[in-house]
Amino acid sequence: MGFQSFHERWHQQLHQLVQKLNKSPRPPASDEENNNLVKLAQKFLSHMSDYYRVKAALAHQDVLFLLDAPWATKFEASLKWMAGWRPSTVFQVIHTESNILFENYLLEMLDGGAQTGDLGNLSPHQIKCLSDLQCQTTREENDLDDQFAEWQDAASDMMLMRYEKDMDEMMDGLGAIVRKGDELRMRTLEKAVQFLTPHQTVDFLVAAAHLHSLVRAWGENRDIGDGIQ
């Protein structure tokens, strides 16, 4: 199966997972419901891991195809970092969703409602842990940016000196940088949800999937308007 076909099928399966997440009872009213949230979140992360496993193999074979990403809309392509989403986006999604839910939580509290345990109820400890992880992730992003800049400089020097025989080695180096980007994406996801409850994790995953769908839909509409599709 070609990567584009795999990509399409993988996204269809992702959509099905998100539907299950959306339908899951929140807040969980029993241990069984809580365990179900844990299992659904694990399935989501496993699905993400499968994607990066297949993508890593392609990065070794044809990294330029990954960077070109013919399956992406122009808008999606404009947002890509190392052939994917920027890992620190995780924290933007969490903080934005937390602020929205916190405002709703305040209104409910004024009306005598109880805490729901969603992302609007992040504890000070959770906020600190997520902040520390965000700083670490940003440092690693910057390091990869530096590695990519060094690769570009080396590629320019190679072409100026007409060392085309080293092209395979250069592509291997670029593929390694892209794989490091995917490893950081997955590692950030896994570490971030460790600081969240099952309920909060599902809130976050649903919000992240919703953002992805909005970006995709907006990009498709723009491309259709430009006569691309």
Side-chain angles (χ1 to χ4, degrees):
M1 186 194 317
F3 186 79
Q4 282 187 258
S5 298
F6 164 78
H7 186 271
E8 181 178 349
R9 182 177 177 182
W10 182 87
H11 271 283
Q12 290 173 349
Q13 294 170 340
L14 179 67
H15 178 68
Q16 293 171 359
L17 275 174
V18 173
Q19 286 183 319
K20 291 181 180 179
L21 289 172
N22 264 319
K23 293 178 181 178
S24 60
R26 302 197 302 279
S30 65
D31 289 342
E32 182 180 357
E33 289 183 355
N34 190 71
N35 291 336
N36 185 53
L37 292 181
V38 172
K39 290 178 181 178
L40 286 174
Q42 289 174 339
K43 285 183 179 180
F44 188 102
L45 293 175
S46 178
H47 193 59
M48 295 294 295
S49 182
D50 287 342
Y51 178 77
Y52 291 126
R53 176 180 51 79
V54 174
K55 191 178 170 189
L58 181 58
H60 181 71
Q61 297 171 2
D62 190 354
V63 65
L64 296 182
F65 179 74
L66 272 182
L67 291 170
D68 184 47
W71 56 86
T73 65
K74 289 196 299 181
F75 183 56
E76 286 175 302
S78 73
L79 298 176
K80 288 191 178 297
W81 176 88
M82 303 294 173
W85 48 273
R86 185 174 285 274
S88 53
T89 305
V90 163
F91 308 101
Q92 291 176 289
V93 173
I94 290 176
H95 294 321
T96 299
E97 189 70 8
S98 177
N99 289 336
I100 292 173
L101 291 174
F102 181 69
E103 291 178 3
N104 294 336
Y105 163 65
L106 285 179
L107 292 175
E108 291 175 1
M109 284 293 291
L110 291 174
D111 289 337
Q115 293 189 17
T116 59
D118 57 24
L119 274 178
N121 295 138
L122 288 175
S123 70
H125 177 69
Q126 286 178 308
I127 293 172
K128 182 183 184 306
C129 289
L130 289 169
S131 178
D132 290 344
L133 179 59
Q134 182 174 7
C135 291
Q136 176 187 337
T137 300
T138 300
R139 285 194 297 269
E140 293 188 59
E141 284 180 348
N142 291 339
D143 181 59
L144 284 176
D145 282 332
D146 290 342
Q147 291 182 40
F148 185 56
E150 290 174 4
W151 181 89
Q152 289 179 317
D153 289 341
S156 296
D157 291 342
M158 183 193 72
M159 297 309 296
L160 287 171
M161 299 300 292
R162 301 179 185 277
Y163 291 155
E164 292 89 346
K165 63 181 180 180
D166 296 328
M167 183 59 74
D168 287 343
E169 183 179 343
M170 291 298 300
M171 290 300 103
D172 287 343
L174 180 58
I177 294 173
V178 169
R179 287 195 296 274
K180 287 179 183 178
D182 283 341
E183 289 167 3
L184 180 56
R185 278 182 266 271
M186 194 66 218
R187 189 164 64 249
T188 302
L189 266 178
E190 291 174 336
K191 287 185 176 180
V193 300
Q194 288 178 0
F195 302 126
L196 303 176
T197 67
H199 182 174
Q200 293 167 342
T201 295
V202 171
D203 283 347
F204 158 60
L205 295 178
V206 168
H210 181 60
L211 174 61
H212 171 79
S213 297
L214 285 176
V215 170
R216 180 69 178 173
W218 197 87
E220 287 176 340
N221 288 336
R222 287 283 299 184
D223 286 355
I224 291 173
D226 292 340
I228 294 177
Q229 295 181 349

